[in-house]
Amino acid sequence: MNNGKAVRPALVYLSAEALGGFPQQATPGAVAIELVHNFALVHDDIIDRDSFRRNRHTLWKKFGIGPALLTGDGLHILAIDTLLDPGTARARTAVGLLTRAMIATLHGQAHDMGFPHRPWSGPTAVTPEEYRQAAGAKTGALIACSAAIGAVLAGGGGTPRQVARFAAYGRHLGVAFQCTDDVIGLWGKPETAGKPVGSDLLEARKTLPIITALASGTPAAGRLLELLSHSEEGPAADDLPEALDLLEEASGRSAAEAQAEHHMTAAVQCLAALPISAAARDELHAMALYMTRRDR
Amino acid sequence: MNNGKAVRPALVYLSAEALGGFPQQATPGAVAIELVHNFALVHDDIIDRDSFRRNRHTLWKKFGIGPALLTGDGLHILAIDTLLDPGTARARTAVGLLTRAMIATLHGQAHDMGFPHRPWSGPTAVTPEEYRQAAGAKTGALIACSAAIGAVLAGGGGTPRQVARFAAYGRHLGVAFQCTDDVIGLWGKPETAGKPVGSDLLEARKTLPIITALASGTPAAGRLLELLSHSEEGPAADDLPEALDLLEEASGRSAAEAQAEHHMTAAVQCLAALPISAAARDELHAMALYMTRRDR
């Protein structure tokens, strides 16, 4: 995923519109969210030492760690500055939501950062539940915040209860999005995934399909563990086709897809109790489908 | 310097008190400023690849770039969150001052980051004036912000004119502080500088004494240029005593000390027009002296 389709600012606008807001009211929120998202990407790429994103060299890879780090810091502070700019009480509430989401995101990232050092199996292996919590924080918090900020900045301003409902919608959507992203990181076409087929496996990332497959206790899981333990760096490139087959056999793919489906449905259910038009509901539903569809 | 003596939060409290504020009113500002300062230090150490600070290993050196980068991001966002927390209009104004100061700081850092790639001499060498501008942005902006935020959070809240005067006091103080820091980076005792004598020279940093000495056009400047051009990395360790002598001979040290003095005096003059008690003025004056005194 990460195809730069600006789903987060789109969510800000959609939830603002759903509550009767004008686009202009939501713009500072949409801009701030996209700035924060890009700040997180730029710093994540440094942390993960990722060389490619969207089929291009990452910022640190091209210009060095210092300039990339500083660029991320700049995007971060510009986001706060942009959101705060109107100087209204509503803007202040929105900044509060954003800072809390960013703190949650950092918690998720910090948790996530420990994953590479954990073993593939045994009592200290990463569990699917742990993974979901980290994903909820790392990816869900900012997407939840996108929907919530839209609701805060809209027309008369959403009630706290409505804002919370938009946040819950966004949070489920975020987890579904992350599950889908994990499937794409293994089976996605290079042109849509922005990286080679199976790259998450070759880089020995502890993503949901892999963790779930290993936890399945099946013979396929046993063989997969052998391949993953080939070296400290992960499986051998030659073993990639077999490893991908084993992942499917041990239900790694189907479980991740089912998780995505589950959270997508939960997201849509959050919309039911909101006082929004059928058209707005349809748009938010379509957004959920768009973010988790599998034809990419 | 950088001795962790918390001069920035002290400034927040002093300016708040000068305008009749209670310490409790200034606390979110003091905490936020210190968090931001530490955020900047942690990220700066990554950018500059510095291994030591305050005679201890830097965070990235000890725990790796990823954890240090994330820690800096956390300090950054906690600063905003802390300052915003009271939810008052005054808190909003204070956050606005902080974000603007951080943007200025980033501009200064970005400028500064280009210095190592510039030659020691010739038309594209870093000029003393350019250096002062970068120092004003990099160090002055946050110290100016410390004094201004104290004034904003104080008692009845300073008028915009008063806040601007406190900011000017802090800005001059910041430049004076940076000039003093540069002298310490060359001639400071290791126990107070937190790094070996002459380390800025050995690391070929383009600090004020070095830039000014080279720009002096004296024979000492010519010989200094030879020593600095020993290799791409800077002078040979054996040449350090001679290089330090040449720096003094070419007025590098005295010019930096005069700059510090000049900005210290300008800082104190900013206090004259403020409606504050003689005791408060004395405290702010003492603070200026403390930040630029040379017995370290």
Side-chain angles (χ1 to χ4, degrees):
Chain A
M1 198 126 355
N2 295 325
N3 40 13
K5 291 246 169 75
V7 291
R8 290 164 190 79
L11 267 179
V12 178
Y13 283 120
L14 285 179
S15 20
E17 275 180 8
L19 288 179
F22 297 107
Q24 301 93 300
Q25 295 176 307
T27 295
V31 173
I33 289 279
E34 189 63 10
L35 287 169
V36 162
H37 174 56
N38 280 279
F39 142 67
L41 294 184
V42 168
H43 278 192
D44 273 359
D45 286 339
I46 299 174
I47 293 170
D48 298 339
R49 301 273 168 165
D50 278 332
S51 300
F52 289 95
R53 180 174 291 278
R54 299 172 190 161
N55 288 312
R56 293 168 65 183
H57 269 132
T58 49
L59 209 60
W60 76 268
K61 186 75 186 174
K62 193 162 169 119
F63 299 102
I65 287 177
L69 194 159
L70 218 52
T71 303
D73 287 345
L75 293 168
H76 185 174
I77 196 63
L78 283 176
I80 305 285
D81 198 55
T82 302
L83 194 50
L84 203 64
D85 192 47
T88 59
R90 222 178 277 181
R92 202 169 59 222
T93 306
V95 173
L97 287 175
L98 186 61
T99 57
R100 298 305 158 113
M102 290 170 80
I103 290 169
T105 305
L106 280 173
H107 276 292
Q109 281 175 306
H111 202 83
D112 199 65
M113 205 156 57
F115 286 179
H117 309 290
R118 308 262 297 269
W120 287 111
S121 62
T124 56
V126 180
T127 65
E129 178 50 30
E130 240 185 307
Y131 178 86
R132 268 192 298 277
Q133 277 182 19
K138 210 184 83 154
T139 313
L142 193 61
I143 296 182
C145 181
S146 308
I149 277 186
V152 163
L153 299 177
T159 66
R161 201 187 173 87
Q162 289 168 352
V163 172
R165 213 153 257 157
F166 273 101
Y169 157 80
R171 193 173 174 86
H172 281 297
L173 208 49
V175 179
F177 184 70
Q178 183 61 54
C179 295
T180 306
D181 204 34
D182 284 356
V183 172
I184 290 168
L186 289 163
W187 293 280
K189 301 184 201 104
E191 59 273 25
T192 49
K195 46 190 180 180
V197 169
S199 65
D200 278 357
L201 199 51
L202 285 175
E203 289 167 20
R205 284 180 197 246
K206 294 195 175 65
T207 68
L208 190 59
I210 304 178
I211 291 167
T212 315
L214 286 173
S216 71
T218 57
R223 172 68 183 141
L224 183 61
L225 182 59
E226 276 175 40
L227 296 183
L228 284 166
S229 311
H230 171 76
S231 85
E232 284 241 336
E233 282 76 44
D238 287 351
D239 293 334
L240 184 61
E242 186 189 351
L244 283 171
D245 284 348
L246 288 165
L247 273 177
E248 295 213 41
E249 211 179 312
S251 304
R253 180 172 187 159
S254 57
E257 287 173 346
Q259 273 295 321
E261 193 70 34
H262 164 76
H263 284 283
M264 213 277 280
T265 307
V268 172
Q269 279 168 353
C270 292
L271 302 173
L274 280 166
I276 59 178
S277 71
R281 207 180 313 277
D282 285 350
E283 289 220 65
L284 289 162
H285 190 166
M287 189 64 181
L289 284 172
Y290 172 74
M291 286 174 70
T292 54
R293 71 176 199 231
R294 316 215 176 87
D295 57 341
R296 43 182 89 201
Chain B
M1 199 126 355
N2 295 322
N3 40 13
K5 291 247 169 76
V7 290
R8 290 164 191 79
L11 267 180
V12 178
Y13 283 120
L14 285 180
S15 18
E17 276 180 6
L19 288 180
F22 297 107
Q24 301 94 301
Q25 295 175 307
T27 296
V31 172
I33 289 280
E34 188 63 9
L35 287 169
V36 162
H37 174 56
N38 280 279
F39 143 68
L41 294 184
V42 168
H43 278 194
D44 272 359
D45 286 339
I46 299 174
I47 293 169
D48 297 338
R49 300 275 169 165
D50 277 332
S51 301
F52 288 95
R53 181 176 288 281
R54 297 170 191 163
N55 288 313
R56 295 168 65 184
H57 268 132
T58 49
L59 209 60
W60 76 268
K61 186 74 185 175
K62 193 161 168 121
F63 299 104
I65 287 177
L69 194 158
L70 218 52
T71 303
D73 287 344
L75 293 169
H76 184 173
I77 196 62
L78 283 176
I80 306 285
D81 199 55
T82 303
L83 195 50
L84 203 64
D85 193 47
T88 58
R90 221 178 278 180
R92 201 170 61 222
T93 305
V95 173
L97 287 176
L98 185 61
T99 57
R100 298 305 158 113
M102 291 170 79
I103 290 169
T105 305
L106 281 173
H107 276 291
Q109 283 176 305
H111 201 82
D112 198 65
M113 206 157 56
F115 287 179
H117 310 289
R118 308 262 296 270
W120 287 111
S121 62
T124 57
V126 180
T127 64
E129 179 49 32
E130 243 186 306
Y131 178 87
R132 269 192 298 276
Q133 275 182 20
K138 211 183 81 156
T139 312
L142 194 60
I143 296 182
C145 182
S146 307
I149 277 186
V152 163
L153 299 176
T159 65
R161 201 188 174 85
Q162 289 168 353
V163 171
R165 213 153 257 158
F166 273 100
Y169 156 80
R171 195 174 174 86
H172 281 297
L173 209 47
V175 178
F177 184 70
Q178 183 61 55
C179 295
T180 307
D181 205 33
D182 284 355
V183 172
I184 290 168
L186 289 163
W187 293 280
K189 300 185 202 106
E191 60 274 25
T192 49
K195 47 190 180 180
V197 169
S199 64
D200 278 357
L201 200 52
L202 285 175
E203 290 167 19
R205 286 180 196 246
K206 296 194 173 65
T207 67
L208 189 59
I210 305 179
I211 291 168
T212 315
L214 287 174
S216 70
T218 58
R223 172 67 183 143
L224 183 63
L225 182 60
E226 276 176 40
L227 296 184
L228 284 166
S229 310
H230 171 77
S231 85
E232 286 242 334
E233 283 76 45
D238 287 350
D239 293 333
L240 185 61
E242 186 188 350
L244 284 171
D245 284 348
L246 289 165
L247 273 176
E248 296 212 43
E249 211 179 312
S251 304
R253 179 172 188 161
S254 57
E257 287 173 346
Q259 273 296 320
E261 193 68 34
H262 165 77
H263 285 284
M264 213 275 281
T265 307
V268 172
Q269 279 168 353
C270 292
L271 301 173
L274 280 166
I276 58 179
S277 70
R281 206 180 315 276
D282 285 350
E283 289 220 64
L284 288 163
H285 191 167
M287 188 65 181
L289 284 172
Y290 172 75
M291 285 174 71
T292 53
R293 72 176 196 230
R294 318 217 174 86
D295 57 341
R296 43 183 89 203

